[in-house]
Amino acid sequence: MRPIVRQILMLAPALLAALAIYANTLDADFVYDDREQIVANPWVRSLEHLPRLLIEPVWGFRTTEPTNYYRPIQMVLYNLLWVATGGSPSAFHLANVVLHLLVIGVAGLLIHRASGNRYVAAAAALVFVAHPINTEVVAWVACVPELTFAMFTLAALWLHAISAVSERPWRDRRRWLALAAGVAALFSKETGAMLVPLVFVLEWSVGPASRRGGFRAPGRFIAAIAAALPYAAAIPIYAAARIAAVGSVAPSARADLTALDALINAPILLLSYGRTLLVPVHLNAFHIFEPSRSIADPAFVFAAVLTIALAALGAAVIRRRPDLAIGLGLLVFPLLPVLYLPALGSNVFSERYAYLPSLGAAWLLVAAVEAIGRRLGDWRSGRVAVTTACLVALPLGIAAARRNQVWQNDETLTRATLAREPRATYMYLVRSGWFARNGQTDEALATLEQGLLAVPGDVPLTAEWLNRRLQAGRISPDEAIAGFSRLDLNIQGMYELQAVLGDAYLHARRFDEAEACFRRAIASNPHDGLLYNRLAVVLAETARLKEARDALEQALRLDPGLAVARQNLERLTAGTAEAPK
């Protein structure tokens, strides 16, 4: 039997456990951001849009305003899945499970290569599979970037490690495959840049560089840096593509936070992730993080001291076991980019960011248990590691499978999330939308009112509440307009607020104001066919039928599947006096 086959067979328990844990995600619906990124995104429905997905930001179909998400591999995968399956949610969820299985496989191969111990590799993979913190990544379609980033990063590290045995590694095609995987990791997610320090650690700890002197030998560091440089060369290429797509390397999403705030809160966030990895309780799709503003804050002082102590402990561990430097790197390095608060949204602490770090944590845990086993006798160490992994994985796996049920649909997700965090404002919008799609108008309004009790004065919640009351006939158009006039509707990235105000003016038959609102919304998002359809309604009402027809044709160019625009165009073409609906 070939060695690679034996190595894959040793991972069979982890792979089977993953299938058992995540089988109940295959009948789940699209949830949360999936509905906008996939269902309402005309760019994923046709192969003709494939080239633009390589150069546009994730939200480019919706807005021209600055965003912080450039994930071409994610969007290309969405496009291919939609075209192949017609947008079946089960197909997208199956893709997530398959990617998770690939991550498990390449993770086990890497750990076996680095540690030389098949028991450690099998046990660490099993603990990683069962960890409940990973349910968000596998059960939520929108987390494809975490899966592909992890898969390509681990594949690059493994391919680099096995090609290092060659006398001339860059003549080994596996080294070039490693570099290609590194580029793919970058274009999966910006965190792919962390492959560079991970390759350095791999070379320094167990690669050829580790044979060039002792723990602190200059030759060892220089050789490790030289090995990592080719991977670093890909970063400027990615940075240029990212700047072209989103406008800068790290656009600021939080004007209220600075680089100093990021430095102060970095140790606090790191410890929060560490605590959740160690004790995975109170998991939630949305966490409110209250940033510390001063180095005199006791939370910062405690976190900084503890972080320094843990760093010293880590240094002592890798001095004895250099191979565990890779596990520590997987635990820490992927978290570093998400510590920069100004580039993050309102959900600063997110469980999905801990996906790859959970592998590092599992590796370190199993290695510690295996070391204890060695003290009991070398022949027992592997059994102790595997037995402990099974005992740990069983309750964790049950918890993970149960948590998957939260991600079944928008109703189950928002109910569970708001029960733990009633200040998660966007979840009220998602929940209200779910009720509205199911014809439950009263429940949709009650949800928004509940949100306004929890977060009084929130602009998007108030605007949606006014809009739904208007659509349901609970208030007059003039009352809705008066309510909107008290809100700041010029929030960056919220062009929809101008659109709902335009709807209110349209109901009031104040066509000039309605047209101005729709045109402002279109200026922020020239790719939304529905906005052009709404503009066409105004133009038709004011007898500007040619302009209305042009607007509807533009709507259909942007979204050929937009049925309401097609029906309205047919009415205009047929000369029907009735204005578009």
Side-chain angles (χ1 to χ4, degrees):
M1 186 181 295
R2 297 180 63 184
I4 186 69
V5 176
R6 286 199 300 269
Q7 292 177 46
I8 293 174
L9 286 176
M10 76 180 179
L11 297 172
L15 295 169
L16 291 173
L19 287 173
I21 291 170
Y22 291 103
N24 62 352
T25 66
L26 298 181
D27 63 347
D29 199 358
F30 291 121
V31 299
Y32 204 0
D33 286 349
D34 298 342
R35 295 205 164 273
E36 291 191 69
Q37 286 185 350
I38 302 171
V39 180
N41 184 354
W43 290 2
V44 306
R45 298 183 202 147
S46 171
L47 291 176
E48 69 178 279
H49 295 296
L50 205 55
R52 78 187 307 167
L53 295 175
L54 296 170
I55 59 175
E56 295 278 359
V58 167
W59 297 105
F61 72 96
R62 199 186 75 167
T63 180
T64 56
E65 294 180 355
T67 66
N68 199 22
Y69 299 102
Y70 175 58
R71 309 282 167 74
I73 287 181
Q74 173 191 14
M75 303 314 294
V76 166
L77 184 58
Y78 284 170
N79 182 283
L80 296 176
L81 283 169
W82 186 283
V83 171
T85 68
S88 165
S90 295
F92 284 79
H93 284 288
L94 178 60
N96 270 32
V97 173
V98 170
L99 287 170
H100 185 48
L101 294 175
L102 291 172
V103 171
I104 296 163
V106 73
L109 295 174
L110 173 64
I111 296 173
H112 185 215
R113 181 74 189 183
S115 67
N117 190 319
R118 67 180 184 274
Y119 292 109
V120 169
L126 188 59
V127 174
F128 167 66
V129 162
H131 205 299
I133 204 170
N134 294 328
T135 56
E136 178 173 313
V137 171
V138 186
W140 185 18
V141 173
C143 288
V144 161
E146 301 296 337
L147 291 161
T148 54
F149 150 66
M151 179 184 69
F152 287 124
T153 297
L154 294 170
L157 290 170
W158 176 63
L159 289 165
H160 182 94
I162 62 177
S163 64
V165 299
S166 303
E167 291 184 5
R168 296 181 178 179
W170 287 105
R171 290 191 176 183
D172 188 328
R173 66 179 180 179
R174 294 174 298 185
R175 181 60 60 92
W176 289 100
L177 287 173
L179 185 58
V183 173
L186 269 171
F187 282 89
S188 293
K189 189 180 178 185
E190 58 277 1
T191 319
M194 293 299 101
L195 176 62
V196 177
L198 285 169
V199 170
F200 170 86
V201 168
L202 175 67
E203 278 281 336
W204 175 86
S205 60
V206 298
S210 65
R211 296 188 286 273
R212 300 195 177 190
F215 188 75
R216 298 178 180 174
R220 186 172 182 171
F221 281 91
I222 292 171
I225 290 172
L229 280 177
Y231 299 92
I235 294 179
I237 299 172
Y238 165 76
R242 180 176 172 82
I243 290 170
V246 303
S248 70
V249 173
S252 179
R254 296 283 300 270
D256 59 321
L257 295 170
T258 66
L260 179 60
D261 292 322
L263 286 173
I264 291 173
N265 287 277
I268 299 173
L269 271 173
L270 272 177
L271 289 184
S272 297
Y273 282 110
R275 181 179 64 249
T276 308
L277 285 167
L278 187 63
V279 186
V281 296
H282 305 307
L283 299 179
N284 207 22
F286 201 101
H287 297 267
I288 298 293
F289 178 76
E290 302 290 349
S292 175
R293 298 288 185 170
S294 168
I295 59 173
D297 188 328
F300 166 76
V301 174
F302 173 78
V305 171
L306 187 54
T307 299
I308 292 170
L310 290 173
L313 176 62
V317 168
I318 61 177
R319 185 186 291 272
R320 288 175 172 271
R321 290 282 304 278
D323 60 298
L324 294 183
I326 307 170
L328 281 168
L330 290 171
L331 174 61
V332 175
F333 290 152
L335 291 173
L336 296 182
V338 298
L339 301 182
Y340 185 66
L341 299 186
L344 302 177
S346 56
N347 200 5
V348 171
F349 179 92
S350 294
E351 292 163 19
R352 60 186 177 274
Y353 299 152
Y355 179 65
L356 191 52
S358 71
L359 175 64
W363 186 351
L364 295 173
L365 171 66
V366 169
V369 172
E370 192 264 346
I372 295 171
R374 285 191 181 187
R375 290 186 174 274
L376 298 175
D378 286 348
W379 65 275
R380 294 183 181 178
S381 62
R383 295 182 183 182
V384 169
V386 172
T387 301
T388 303
C390 291
L391 292 174
V392 170
L394 182 59
L396 290 181
I398 293 172
R402 291 182 61 187
R403 176 146 177 78
N404 289 338
Q405 298 170 6
V406 167
W407 295 90
Q408 282 293 303
N409 55 53
D410 280 336
E411 195 280 328
T412 56
L413 174 63
T414 54
R415 173 161 39 88
T417 303
L418 291 170
R420 289 202 177 276
E421 184 44 81
R423 295 173 295 171
T425 54
Y426 189 68
M427 286 294 175
Y428 292 104
L429 296 173
V430 174
R431 186 168 180 80
S432 175
W434 188 86
F435 283 126
R437 287 195 303 274
N438 287 278
Q440 298 173 267
T441 302
D442 291 340
E443 289 83 352
L445 282 169
T447 296
L448 295 170
E449 289 162 1
Q450 179 187 2
L452 288 171
L453 287 174
V455 192
D458 183 81
V459 173
L461 280 178
T462 305
E464 185 65 9
W465 176 66
L466 290 169
N467 185 48
R468 290 207 183 279
R469 293 184 73 201
L470 173 63
Q471 300 297 331
R474 306 288 176 86
I475 56 174
S476 69
D478 288 336
E479 288 175 311
I481 292 168
F484 282 123
S485 69
R486 293 189 287 270
L487 303 176
D488 176 11
L489 300 182
N490 296 310
I491 301 173
Q492 181 176 331
M494 295 297 293
Y495 70 88
E496 298 98 333
L497 299 181
Q498 287 294 330
V500 295
L501 176 58
D503 286 337
Y505 280 126
L506 183 58
H507 275 78
R509 303 190 67 77
R510 293 166 60 175
F511 299 124
D512 289 343
E513 291 99 327
E515 180 181 353
C517 287
F518 292 138
R519 290 196 183 279
R520 281 195 294 270
I522 288 171
S524 294
N525 181 15
H527 305 303
D528 190 335
L530 276 172
L531 291 177
Y532 283 94
N533 180 75
R534 289 151 102 170
L535 176 62
V537 174
V538 175
L539 295 171
E541 288 281 6
T542 53
R544 295 148 68 185
L545 299 185
K546 183 182 183 305
E547 292 179 65
R549 186 177 294 107
D550 291 342
L552 290 170
E553 289 173 350
Q554 176 64 9
L556 290 171
R557 278 193 293 271
L558 292 169
D559 188 355
L562 193 57
V564 65
R566 189 167 301 281
Q567 292 167 1
N568 286 335
L569 184 59
E570 289 171 355
R571 289 194 187 97
L572 284 180
T573 303
T576 304
E578 182 183 3
K581 301 297 182 185

